[in-house]
Amino acid sequence: MVLIEAVRAEENISIGRPLKPGVYVPTLCFFDPETEDIDTESIARHTIRLAQAGVTGIATQGSNGEAVHLTHRERELVTTTTRSALDHAGFTNVPVIVGCGAQSVRETIELCSEAAEAGGDYALVLPPSYYATLFAPSSETIIKYFTEVADASPIPIIIYNFPGAVNGMDLSSDIILSLSQHPRIVGVKLTCGNTGKLNRIAAATRSSTTKNTHGSANPDFLVLAGSADFAIQSLIAGGHGILAGLANIAPKACIRTVELYREGKIAEAQRMQEVVSQGDWTAIRGGVVGVKSGLQSWLGYGGFTRSPLPRPTGEQSKAWKEGYRDLMALEKTLL
């Protein structure tokens, strides 16, 4: 019985679509402008556009995907639509990461199971924070939370460190490295912007015990920057790429910035990073409202966020469009 359980545990951590270094996109969720119902046609079209641009992977239910505005059933619909669009367009090898964070271990595991059933390959999980003042000590509570989720989840876990979304909770490199030892915790997204932390995690996990057999091109523990404005900085620090909302608007610029650095064309990468960083500042200030507005202004689709988020004023839309101007000019030059 023990041997059978060990074999099953080993099977449970197998990965069909490995995580590779590159540019990942936390994709947007689109709604009907009148009813606010899920617009599956736009989701599919946007997914294919990103895949054709060459992104490495796509994440649903991230901060840009308005997961907090969706029911469980709607989350499944978005992920199913995304996976189906990729497969039908011939991008069967592109992994889908699904945001699954919730305040309880029970619901997080439920979301992970639903994500797997909908075609998700990995679960992106924020730490719980609502009762953070009752965590004693916080590190022990967080480690227990991620461990219990990873033990029960049918798909591997990626830690999502985003202090702005969890009442300022910022996971230390010590906590993340401790969690990285779990065989089903396979990466981290660092939206905290701390490249020192990123460097410590990347350096330590390079020599960790191998979790998969996919070869050196697929790191055992994927370390991603959570924003496009420090893409090459994160690569210098040993990171593997980015999972950045700006790639919804300008995927080719994000990809080319990373490629130039890897090709050793540092000066060119730096110049492109400057344009990307300026565009990302517009995205950061406007949030998902501004990203959708920019997409609508420059590419003719995007629409609005779900209420209670506000619809942009004419002045806001004009300002955000202008903020993306240089970035979109760059994007149009890239094949």
Side-chain angles (χ1 to χ4, degrees):
M1 178 64 71
V2 174
L3 178 59
I4 292 174
E5 290 178 352
V7 170
R8 285 177 178 170
E10 189 68 28
E11 290 175 349
N12 285 340
I13 64 172
S14 64
I15 301 172
R17 298 180 183 91
L19 294 170
K20 300 179 180 181
V23 173
Y24 293 76
V25 189
T27 190
L28 298 162
C29 182
F30 301 99
F31 305 104
D32 182 283
E34 300 297 328
T35 65
E36 292 194 354
D37 291 339
I38 301 291
D39 180 357
T40 54
E41 182 178 342
S42 292
I43 290 171
R45 185 170 70 249
H46 184 63
T47 296
I48 294 170
R49 171 180 167 256
L50 296 176
Q52 289 174 336
V55 302
T56 308
I58 291 177
T60 62
Q61 324 308 334
S63 301
N64 279 271
E66 297 184 64
V68 295
H69 291 164
L70 306 180
T71 66
H72 280 232
R73 183 172 296 179
E74 287 176 325
R75 287 179 178 225
E76 290 184 80
L77 176 60
V78 171
T79 300
T80 300
T81 301
T82 301
R83 180 74 267 163
S84 178
L86 289 170
D87 291 347
H88 281 90
F91 296 100
T92 56
N93 292 326
V94 174
V96 173
I97 301 167
V98 184
C100 294
Q103 294 303 309
S104 70
V105 170
R106 179 184 291 266
E107 186 179 12
T108 305
I109 293 171
E110 182 179 343
L111 286 169
C112 290
S113 297
E114 291 169 354
E117 292 173 2
D121 299 291
Y122 301 88
L124 181 66
V125 179
L126 279 166
S129 61
Y130 189 88
Y131 289 114
T133 57
L134 301 179
F135 294 174
S138 60
S139 59
E140 180 180 332
T141 302
I142 294 302
I143 288 173
K144 183 179 180 182
Y145 167 83
F146 276 103
T147 299
E148 291 181 354
V149 170
D151 285 344
S153 173
I155 52 178
I157 302 299
I158 298 172
I159 301 165
Y160 188 6
N161 188 52
F162 184 11
V166 288
N167 292 326
M169 184 185 296
D170 190 2
L171 303 184
S172 69
S173 55
D174 290 341
I175 291 175
I176 294 169
L177 286 172
S178 176
L179 291 170
S180 74
Q181 299 303 306
H182 194 293
R184 295 177 185 170
I185 299 178
V186 297
V188 63
K189 174 185 178 180
L190 295 169
T191 307
C192 56
N194 188 330
T195 53
K197 179 190 299 184
L198 187 150
N199 180 249
R200 291 190 294 274
I201 295 169
T205 55
R206 273 198 301 271
S207 57
S208 65
T209 302
T210 299
K211 297 180 182 181
N212 61 60
T213 57
H214 291 291
S216 59
N218 307 309
D220 295 325
F221 192 80
L222 193 75
V223 182
L224 298 174
S227 182
D229 64 354
F230 65 111
I232 63 172
Q233 297 93 317
S234 69
L235 296 173
I236 292 168
H240 302 111
I242 61 174
L243 176 50
L246 187 68
N248 282 289
I249 294 179
K252 294 177 183 178
C254 292
I255 292 167
R256 189 58 186 147
T257 301
V258 170
E259 289 177 342
L260 286 170
Y261 175 81
R262 289 180 177 159
E263 292 168 6
K265 300 174 181 177
I266 307 303
E268 292 181 51
Q270 185 176 6
R271 286 193 294 272
M272 192 166 288
Q273 177 71 75
E274 290 169 356
V275 178
V276 168
S277 295
Q278 190 58 49
D280 207 19
W281 182 232
T282 299
I284 291 168
R285 286 181 297 171
V288 64
V289 178
V291 172
K292 281 193 169 183
S293 178
L295 199 63
Q296 185 71 49
S297 295
W298 285 105
L299 295 171
Y301 73 98
F304 305 107
T305 50
R306 182 174 267 183
S307 60
L309 283 178
R311 296 192 175 190
T313 65
E315 285 300 312
Q316 287 176 321
S317 295
K318 183 178 178 180
W320 286 327
K321 179 179 181 180
E322 188 62 30
Y324 292 123
R325 183 172 297 279
D326 290 346
L327 178 67
M328 292 309 297
L330 172 62
E331 183 77 5
K332 291 176 181 179
T333 68
L334 301 172
L335 299 178

